[in-house]
Amino acid sequence: MKKVNVIINDQKISVPANYTVLEAAKEINVEIPTLCHLNLHDLKAVNRSASCRVCVVEVEGRGTLAPSCSTYVSEDMIIKTNTPRAIKARRTMVELLLSDHPKDCLTCSKNQQCELQSLAAELGVRHIKYTGEESHYELDTSSYSIVRNLDKCVLCRRCETMCNEVQTCGILSGIDRGFETVVGPAFGLPMIDTMCTFCGQCVAVCPTAALTEASNVRQVWDEINDPDKYVVVQTAPAVRVALGEEFGMEVGTIVTGKMTAALRRLGFDQIFDTDFAADLTIVEEASEFIHRVQHGGRLPILTSCCPAWVKFFEHQFPDLLDIPSTCKSPHEMFGVVTKTYYAEKFNIDPAKIVVVSVMPCLAKKYEAARPELSTNGLQHVDYVIDTRETAKMIKEAGICFRDLPDEDFDKPLGESTGAGVIFGTTGGVIEAVLRTACDWLTGESLEAIDYHQLRGLEGIREGSVMIGDMEIKIGIAHGLGNARKLLEAIRDGKAEYHAIEIMACPGGCIGGGGQPYHKGDSEIIKKRAEAIYREDAGKTKRKSHENTDVLELYKNYLGEFYGEKAKELLHTDYTKRELI
Amino acid sequence: MSGKIQLRIALRNCGVIDPENILEYIARDGYMALGKVVTEMTPEETINTLKESGLRGRGGGGFPTGLKLEFASKNKSDVKYIICNADEGDPGAFMDRSILEGDPHAVLEAMAICGYAIGAQEGFIYIRAEYPLAIERLNIAIEQAYERGLIGKKLFGSDFSFDIKLKYGAGAFVCGEETALINSIEGLRGEPHFKPPYPAEKGLWNKPTTVNNVETLANIPTIINKGAKWFSSIGTKTSKGTKVFALAGNVKKVGLVEVPMGTTLREIVFDIGDGIEGGKEFKAVQTGGPSGGCIPAQFLDIPIDYESLKSIGSMMGSGGMIIMDEDTCMVDIAKYYLDFTTDESCGKCTACRIGNKRLFEILEKITNGDGEAEDLKKLKELGDIIKDTSLCGLGQTAPNPILSTMKYFYDEYEAHVFDKTCPAGICSSLTKYEIDKEKCIGCTLCAKACPVSCISGKVREPHEIEQDKCIKCGACYKACKFDAITKS
Amino acid sequence: MKKIKSYDDLKKLRDQKAAEITATDADIRIIVGMATCGIAAGAGEVFDSIAGEIMKLGLENVTVVRAGCMGACHSEPTVEVVKPGEESVLYGNVDSARAKVIVNNHLVRGDVVKDLVLEKNYETVS
């Protein structure tokens, strides 16, 4: 890449020709404030609308101020980032945004995490000079997963970019014009009536509280404090490599032990591990996969543990509904096992059991309410709280997370193998399936179970694994835009895979809509992925079918792998939905 | 010259030929320029001719047309586009409409010439849907041009082919901005995009594109036929050729005029326009529509060209020229334009979406009689910042009407804010209607006309207006036949 | 209809059509300004009125043309009478009745209808 010479704030530097002024300034340790800008480099998600006008700088020769996030450097460009003119304009832009924004920071769910709040503090805004009309809209609380508060929207258009360009769902876009402009679904439909998959990527990138999760914290507290109820909690793998961030710990720290200890102190009756159920899912899914391979069943098989991906599929590819695995997702399997096997084993009335899932995901809130995911009138999972909500509960309870000792999960639904852990990252589910399927198909206990060819963060990956003389072709996609490409290839008959793994969120669950805000730093997502593989490598058992608790469950209750009882409790079917 | 003030180049065929008959266009040298260019000139020669002519964009920007085409021609691509911007959105402007309704072939020919110059094979005319007659005549013209082989495949037996299609706008002034226009053609929301990259590099469908105004294009065939030297002999040093103006407002002879650059405002308003209606005094002229500024009487003798208008805080704009007489309130005019721009703002960038709205709110406050000294400072400060920070031309120029009226008519603003009066008697909240008891004969006509029944008085006795209830509609003022009601 | 396949084709057609208009025995042209401004002011009725009167009088050497805006929007509807060899005359504020007067006076008798005449303060490039 060619380099160009520029002068920023009287300092001469040489930067690649494809740098923006924003990136060039970073090289001399100047961080120009931004708001609408977002660049998740490796995950190919870029919002460069240049619409907030906060990042403006002076460029010699240009009549007006230039937006540094989208102005590319050129040879001999002279840039000044901190002149009175630029700073005054920047501050005025934030003042203007604040003039049309609710001033309820103290009681706002994004208090201390809001990017507008931070900007106002950084720029030293003390007085909003230009006051006037403030926009007011009705709250959209129609869905289980996402709450839209348009009063707090700053029109950064990040959500629009994620929804249209990265996830290719097209739910959110600009509507109306001028002061009345809003970002939302077409025709002002409530979210629940759209094709929204509730992946929550819009929530993950929203700088303010315009888009937040629908919170279940109050309900979970009520259940915990109800002496009549037996509240059981399970935690997803992606949570344990990210929860620490909410307490100022280094990104990528594995906090499994502290997480368990904290949940116990919150008052949950049993602390279980979704990874256990992940192993269970693998045993069923590997069985299903092998069954299809050996009996000429429909291939490729698609993993189905991601509920956003399932809803996407139901709307957009209803003609291919026989392709996904019929396995329920791990936390749902956990729910049904808890309210049947566990309830029976410990003689607890299932109606008094409350299953709470701690997830990195917002779509799981929607999934938990699906009518078909129930047995005997009881939903498998009662509440889903995401990583951020869990951290809030821990803080509310005054628990000093960083100082907690490491504790273990409870039995008998707490044991997990490395295969269960890697569910949290893209490529992990299919790798876990292979660890079991390869052993079963070859009849051996294979040692080489790190399938590096399936790991990484490229949006669409391919790999193949030899099982005996059979070459199993694998396709992996994360981000629904990439998923769409893979699925269209299947529909057009161009895809030659045996198995495909799809995760709706870029990076997989570690980049889920309910995880601590990454604020545009894709390094955070990378480090979380590394932590997942570290946790896996540190486990003694790394194959799902070696999980003794899981094997106990089959021996004492479910019977055969992929047998009648297993199919009844652990498998589901999908609904054809309309293209709206 | 002939001694006549107006010189019709862009309007040469308007009102002369039947626009629905291509033969009449051909009879007046129609398509001769295209033929010459395609068979006798190279693309470079075509561009050079336009560069030498000094033709500048007539849509308001004033960018040298030849240079714009040169940029696009230099960018390598097998697909390029010519777009004609027929979205004419300025209130009161109808120059482009007249050209499209009166001489559509001129635009078609010019687009093909530009296509040849830059290497484009396809052109789009983006026309606002509110111009049905222009659309109809364009469609007829395109059909007839195709029939005769003057647009389409292998023109004049050469290898050059050029197709033209129409695209309709949908009621958005902002789509007159070239990048918003391009987004609209692509089926996206009509919001502008930051520049650079310019359309010459990455335009329609990311291909090199030039977007030209209707009037600019209408000049091109004549420049080719009569030569760059001829064209550049008309006008001033920096602004060559003529400009079409849509004269409107308080002038006696409203209409379409085309004058050489360098003609003074006085000549246009008083010689062509025949002066102010009703014997009133000239106050100001607004050029450039909502992006422009007002020009007061002291500049009536300024020769009109791009630079001179800019130097006095206005701009050429697309040609709308609104004449205002002494009964115009300049604060109200600024408010009118801000009302327009805030309504038409696309809402993308903070500066325009919220900033211009706040400017409008301050003007409303002032014209409602609630203005404070701070407000005058705020208008200037915020206006300057919005000009400097907005994403596109709409936002950047929206404060111009305020800033220019404040520059030349600051006393009116002060009157509104400090004296709570509107000197021109327009801002109803600041107008007081009073009955002169000496002149009132008690005919009761005013009381009958009052919509809120706030005038009291017995027959044949002087009446009185209850100021608290008065809504300042002026109905009584109009009804009184005895000049007994004063308006202040 | 013949397609134009070369520059020469066009030149020939141009010469032919131009000659038709400037010929001394060319038709009298009555041009009615029919852009949106004219039509809104009633130019449509004026056109019909002129065309009707010409047919009624059986005048054979007259062509009536719907053209674009002549620029005199202050006096629409406008009508221009172009007689070969003579200076053209521009009329303004024409209505259906006055249109008939123009046909009878100016076309038939050669008397310009003075009170409707507008000054043509422009030069048109050709």
Side-chain angles (χ1 to χ4, degrees):
Chain A
M1 169 61 56
K2 201 181 81 161
K3 285 206 159 186
V4 296
N5 300 309
V6 298
I7 305 178
I8 307 183
N9 298 345
D10 296 324
Q11 235 180 296
K12 289 201 180 102
I13 53 164
S14 189
V15 292
N18 65 350
Y19 265 30
T20 56
V21 170
L22 184 69
E23 290 166 328
K26 202 105 190 263
E27 298 285 306
I28 56 162
N29 297 320
V30 171
E31 277 215 38
I32 301 170
T34 62
L35 181 57
C36 67
H37 180 67
L38 181 78
N39 192 344
L40 288 168
H41 301 89
D42 297 313
L43 301 173
K44 305 248 172 21
V46 185
N47 186 44
R48 197 175 272 136
S49 59
S51 54
C52 71
R53 314 310 283 177
V54 169
C55 69
V56 289
V57 295
E58 278 191 43
V59 171
E60 208 169 285
R62 246 179 103 129
T64 55
L65 293 169
S68 54
C69 65
S70 43
T71 304
Y72 290 94
V73 292
S74 60
E75 186 68 30
D76 294 334
M77 195 185 244
I78 301 177
I79 300 151
K80 290 207 173 3
T81 68
N82 292 329
T83 59
R85 177 180 159 210
I87 293 185
K88 189 170 187 190
R90 238 174 255 157
R91 192 178 294 129
T92 306
M93 291 304 112
V94 174
E95 266 183 54
L96 287 174
L97 285 170
L98 290 174
S99 79
D100 185 24
H101 199 90
K103 318 282 186 295
D104 61 352
C105 293
L106 292 179
T107 48
C108 176
S109 61
K110 278 298 256 284
N111 188 13
Q112 302 197 350
Q113 301 211 308
C114 170
E115 292 183 46
L116 181 64
Q117 194 181 37
S118 312
L119 255 186
E122 259 173 52
L123 295 178
V125 175
R126 290 285 166 272
H127 174 54
I128 299 169
K129 216 184 304 183
Y130 309 104
T131 51
E133 186 185 328
E134 285 185 27
S135 321
H136 288 299
Y137 303 95
E138 225 180 281
L139 265 185
D140 178 1
T141 51
S142 62
S143 76
Y144 296 99
S145 304
I146 299 175
V147 173
R148 284 172 59 232
N149 183 345
L150 287 176
D151 293 2
K152 299 190 176 175
C153 177
V154 292
L155 290 173
C156 67
R157 317 300 279 274
R158 287 182 189 174
C159 57
E160 190 180 356
T161 299
M162 289 308 275
C163 194
N164 289 292
E165 284 166 45
V166 178
Q167 303 296 68
T168 67
C169 288
I171 308 302
L172 297 171
S173 81
I175 299 176
D176 289 339
R177 68 181 187 207
F179 193 70
E180 279 81 48
T181 310
V182 289
V183 176
F187 315 113
L189 283 176
M191 294 291 264
I192 196 71
D193 292 337
T194 65
M195 291 198 292
C196 176
T197 62
F198 306 110
C199 70
Q201 285 308 301
C202 54
V203 173
V205 299
C206 179
T208 65
L211 286 163
T212 49
E213 67 266 288
S215 181
N216 293 104
V217 167
R218 296 267 76 85
Q219 291 133 311
V220 172
W221 275 132
D222 286 344
E223 298 285 17
I224 290 176
N225 293 324
D226 185 346
D228 250 355
K229 298 285 178 70
Y230 192 78
V231 190
V232 154
V233 69
Q234 53 163 327
T235 59
V239 177
R240 67 204 59 190
V241 297
L243 184 59
E245 291 166 38
E246 292 286 294
F247 299 94
M249 297 173 82
E250 201 186 311
V251 176
T253 315
I254 302 170
V255 294
T256 320
K258 293 199 194 315
M259 176 180 71
T260 321
L263 291 170
R264 204 162 273 130
R265 279 152 185 70
L266 283 180
F268 287 104
D269 291 297
Q270 294 289 326
I271 320 296
F272 290 137
D273 193 349
T274 312
D275 294 9
F276 157 85
D279 284 331
L280 178 59
T281 309
I282 290 302
V283 166
E284 282 300 307
E285 202 155 326
S287 307
E288 189 187 354
F289 174 53
I290 292 173
H291 192 265
R292 286 198 198 182
V293 165
Q294 288 175 341
H295 293 91
R298 189 80 157 91
L299 284 179
I301 188 172
L302 267 52
T303 60
S304 56
C305 43
C306 171
W309 139 237
V310 166
K311 186 154 191 285
F312 179 80
F313 197 85
E314 289 175 329
H315 279 293
Q316 314 257 1
F317 295 90
D319 50 317
L320 300 174
L321 278 180
D322 55 346
I323 293 188
S325 154
T326 51
C327 286
K328 292 179 182 172
S329 66
H331 83 127
E332 292 288 345
M333 281 199 186
F334 176 91
V336 67
V337 164
T338 306
K339 294 195 183 181
T340 53
Y341 167 71
Y342 181 81
E344 279 175 35
K345 186 175 164 103
F346 290 91
N347 212 2
I348 306 172
D349 177 7
K352 297 247 160 78
I353 300 181
V354 175
V355 174
V356 176
S357 303
V358 173
M359 295 282 132
C361 173
L362 299 192
K364 299 257 176 219
K365 291 183 190 258
Y366 168 82
E367 187 191 26
R370 276 184 162 225
E372 69 271 18
L373 294 175
S374 59
T375 312
N376 304 326
L378 298 170
Q379 293 298 115
H380 299 331
V381 173
D382 297 289
Y383 302 103
V384 174
I385 47 175
D386 64 27
T387 317
R388 298 187 296 257
E389 286 173 282
T390 310
K392 285 205 176 104
M393 285 180 77
I394 295 172
K395 286 180 188 168
E396 255 181 72
I399 296 169
C400 297
F401 187 80
R402 296 171 72 131
D403 301 324
L404 288 172
D406 286 341
E407 291 183 10
D408 281 323
F409 290 104
D410 292 318
K411 289 201 143 290
L413 305 177
E415 184 188 335
S416 68
T417 69
V421 174
I422 57 178
F423 262 61
T425 180
T426 166
V429 177
I430 205 71
E431 186 173 333
V433 169
L434 284 172
R435 288 183 189 178
T436 296
C438 291
D439 271 15
W440 284 354
L441 282 172
T442 56
E444 295 165 32
S445 180
L446 298 170
E447 298 252 321
I449 55 167
D450 287 292
Y451 294 96
H452 291 280
Q453 72 269 45
L454 304 177
R455 301 184 184 181
L457 282 178
E458 296 88 64
I460 301 182
R461 307 194 294 286
E462 288 181 344
S464 61
V465 168
M466 295 303 298
I467 302 186
D469 338 328
M470 202 172 34
E471 189 192 6
I472 305 283
K473 295 210 185 112
I474 311 286
I476 298 169
H478 58 114
L480 289 171
N482 292 319
R484 184 188 288 279
K485 286 192 193 135
L486 259 194
L487 286 171
E488 280 173 351
I490 297 179
R491 199 189 242 164
D492 296 338
K494 288 194 190 133
E496 292 258 322
Y497 303 113
H498 292 89
I500 297 187
E501 178 209 276
I502 301 212
M503 294 198 183
C505 294
C509 305
I510 42 164
Q515 290 282 64
Y517 295 111
H518 52 65
K519 306 243 165 100
D521 186 358
S522 56
E523 278 300 304
I524 294 182
I525 298 183
K526 262 191 192 159
K527 293 212 171 97
R528 290 177 191 164
E530 284 161 23
I532 291 266
Y533 286 116
R534 267 200 329 270
E535 169 106 328
D536 163 43
K539 290 251 180 195
T540 40
K541 291 192 191 155
R542 302 179 65 210
K543 297 176 191 173
S544 297
H545 56 278
E546 293 174 348
N547 186 325
T548 47
D549 280 356
V550 168
L551 295 172
E552 277 284 305
L553 169 61
Y554 276 98
K555 180 158 151 240
N556 298 334
Y557 194 75
L558 292 174
E560 275 177 30
F561 297 155
Y562 201 51
E564 206 186 297
K565 189 130 195 192
K567 282 197 192 145
E568 182 200 325
L569 293 178
L570 305 177
H571 289 253
T572 182
D573 50 37
Y574 304 107
T575 322
K576 261 199 171 117
R577 294 181 198 272
E578 277 175 12
L579 258 177
I580 301 168
Chain B
M1 296 292 122
S2 66
K4 297 248 161 97
I5 284 184
Q6 293 193 53
L7 178 62
R8 303 181 116 211
I9 302 179
L11 298 176
R12 61 188 174 282
N13 290 325
C14 293
V16 178
I17 64 166
D18 177 357
E20 299 182 22
N21 184 349
I22 193 175
L23 294 173
E24 295 211 359
Y25 182 68
I26 291 174
R28 281 174 61 75
D29 292 346
Y31 291 101
M32 289 294 286
L34 179 60
K36 179 170 171 191
V37 152
V38 168
T39 59
E40 291 173 12
M41 292 165 75
T42 63
E44 290 75 31
E45 284 167 346
T46 312
I47 291 177
N48 283 334
T49 306
L50 292 173
K51 279 170 80 175
E52 279 159 24
S53 72
L55 177 67
R56 291 167 69 168
R58 297 285 191 257
F63 192 83
T65 310
L67 206 54
K68 197 189 245 192
L69 291 168
E70 192 174 57
F71 288 149
S73 81
K74 287 218 164 100
N75 285 311
K76 299 257 163 286
S77 175
D78 51 348
V79 175
K80 296 186 189 177
Y81 297 101
I82 298 286
I83 296 180
C84 166
N85 186 346
D87 195 49
E88 187 169 57
D90 282 2
F94 53 96
M95 304 74 58
D96 293 350
R97 169 171 68 70
S98 305
I99 294 173
L100 291 168
E101 289 176 351
D103 192 9
H105 285 284
V107 171
L108 303 181
E109 185 182 359
M111 285 174 72
I113 292 172
C114 291
Y116 180 77
I118 73 165
Q121 313 253 343
E122 201 173 349
F124 289 94
I125 301 177
Y126 186 83
I127 180 160
R128 59 182 304 187
E130 296 90 338
Y131 280 175
L133 185 58
I135 291 175
E136 192 187 313
R137 292 202 174 149
L138 271 171
N139 275 324
I140 294 173
I142 291 175
E143 199 185 312
Q144 291 183 352
Y146 269 106
E147 267 172 3
R148 295 266 170 190
L150 291 163
I151 296 287
K153 300 259 168 290
K154 297 196 186 293
L155 305 179
F156 301 102
S158 76
D159 278 326
F160 175 63
S161 303
F162 195 75
D163 286 307
I164 298 184
K165 290 197 185 80
L166 287 187
K167 280 278 183 184
Y168 304 150
F173 172 73
V174 72
C175 285
E177 198 279 341
E178 60 181 3
T179 57
L181 191 159
I182 287 173
N183 273 337
S184 175
I185 295 184
E186 291 185 12
L188 299 171
R189 196 172 142 83
E191 285 175 334
H193 192 266
F194 54 82
K195 297 191 277 200
Y198 290 92
E201 193 193 322
K202 284 206 170 102
L204 185 60
W205 309 116
N206 263 335
K207 306 286 183 194
T209 306
T210 57
V211 180
N212 292 105
N213 167 265
V214 169
E215 191 189 329
T216 316
L217 291 170
N219 278 292
I220 290 178
T222 312
I223 291 174
I224 301 290
N225 282 331
K226 289 173 108 70
K229 216 160 156 205
W230 164 82
F231 190 80
S232 63
S233 72
I234 303 164
T236 67
K237 190 147 169 256
T238 59
S239 309
K240 301 294 180 192
T242 56
K243 181 76 190 80
V244 179
F245 290 103
L247 207 55
N250 300 124
V251 68
K252 282 198 202 136
K253 294 214 171 131
V254 297
L256 209 57
V257 310
E258 185 172 358
V259 291
M261 296 280 194
T263 308
T264 66
L265 273 172
R266 191 183 294 281
E267 287 176 286
I268 297 180
V269 176
F270 293 98
D271 295 340
I272 303 177
D274 214 18
I276 308 295
E277 253 190 337
K280 303 244 165 143
E281 286 292 306
F282 171 89
K283 187 163 187 183
V285 54
Q286 173 88 7
T287 58
S291 311
C294 67
I295 303 170
Q298 72 213 73
F299 296 117
L300 273 174
D301 294 302
I302 275 214
I304 297 182
D305 75 10
Y306 289 100
E307 275 62 45
S308 67
L309 288 178
K310 253 214 186 116
S311 72
I312 55 173
S314 182
M315 65 187 275
M316 180 81 70
S318 59
M321 198 179 258
I322 317 278
I323 314 294
M324 299 167 198
D325 68 16
E326 65 197 68
D327 287 340
T328 312
C329 171
M330 299 315 283
V331 186
D332 184 60
I333 288 289
K335 193 177 85 168
Y336 166 80
Y337 279 118
L338 253 297
D339 192 16
F340 178 77
T341 40
T342 50
D343 190 41
E344 295 289 340
S345 163
C346 75
K348 182 168 176 180
C349 79
T350 310
C352 176
R353 178 181 78 248
I354 309 181
N356 282 321
K357 168 97 177 163
R358 295 288 175 247
L359 284 180
F360 176 69
E361 286 167 342
I362 297 175
L363 284 174
E364 267 193 320
K365 203 175 153 214
I366 291 177
T367 54
N368 275 341
D370 300 322
E372 299 163 289
E374 260 291 292
D375 292 328
L376 294 177
K377 263 197 252 159
K378 281 187 197 172
L379 281 177
K380 177 86 176 63
E381 213 174 31
L382 186 56
D384 282 337
I385 292 177
I386 293 171
K387 277 180 71 106
D388 212 10
T389 320
S390 291
L391 179 76
C392 82
L394 189 155
Q396 284 161 6
T397 57
N400 283 349
I402 301 179
L403 297 175
S404 79
T405 49
M406 281 182 83
K407 186 170 174 186
Y408 297 116
F409 298 96
Y410 197 64
D411 53 321
E412 272 189 64
Y413 280 86
E414 287 179 314
H416 281 74
V417 169
F418 299 115
D419 304 329
K420 305 290 184 219
T421 59
C422 173
I426 297 287
C427 298
S428 53
S429 305
L430 301 178
T431 308
K432 197 171 179 189
Y433 291 98
E434 281 174 307
I435 297 179
D436 185 345
K437 305 244 165 163
E438 317 248 308
K439 289 190 180 162
C440 176
I441 62 152
C443 73
T444 76
L445 271 181
C446 59
K448 292 199 179 102
C450 177
V452 295
S453 309
C454 72
I455 304 182
S456 57
K458 298 207 187 85
V459 181
R460 280 193 277 266
E461 279 180 28
H463 281 42
E464 190 165 354
I465 297 173
E466 216 176 321
Q467 292 298 333
D468 290 341
K469 290 211 187 119
C470 175
I471 60 164
K472 332 252 185 178
C473 66
C476 57
Y477 185 72
K478 289 199 187 95
C480 180
K481 298 195 199 306
F482 299 93
D483 258 346
I485 300 190
T486 53
K487 179 172 146 182
S488 59
Chain C
M1 168 195 333
K2 256 185 66 184
K3 265 204 169 176
I4 293 169
K5 300 239 175 81
S6 70
Y7 196 24
D8 275 333
D9 278 355
L10 180 63
K11 281 191 197 151
K12 284 200 192 100
L13 186 57
R14 186 272 311 260
D15 291 340
Q16 181 197 338
K17 290 290 154 193
E20 279 170 25
I21 293 184
T22 56
T24 44
D25 61 344
D27 277 1
I28 298 174
R29 261 169 91 84
I30 303 193
I31 309 175
V32 182
M34 285 183 72
T36 303
C37 42
I39 295 173
E45 289 81 27
V46 168
F47 182 91
D48 291 339
S49 173
I50 294 177
E53 192 69 7
I54 288 170
M55 266 198 12
K56 192 176 113 195
L57 298 175
L59 301 175
E60 286 191 347
N61 58 340
V62 186
T63 311
V64 196
V65 173
R66 290 183 180 90
C69 178
M70 291 175 196
C73 310
H74 48 83
S75 304
E76 296 278 4
T78 51
V79 174
E80 192 173 357
V81 176
V82 187
K83 280 189 171 177
E86 282 177 35
E87 187 86 27
S88 74
V89 179
L90 179 63
Y91 292 107
N93 297 306
V94 182
D95 59 23
S96 306
R98 319 299 292 289
K100 292 194 184 132
V101 171
I102 292 173
V103 174
N104 282 290
N105 289 18
H106 190 159
L107 258 65
V108 177
R109 295 205 296 271
D111 292 333
V112 169
V113 185
K114 291 214 172 65
D115 61 331
L116 290 177
V117 172
L118 291 177
E119 184 204 343
K120 257 182 94 165
N121 58 1
Y122 51 82
E123 183 200 325
T124 305
V125 150
S126 55

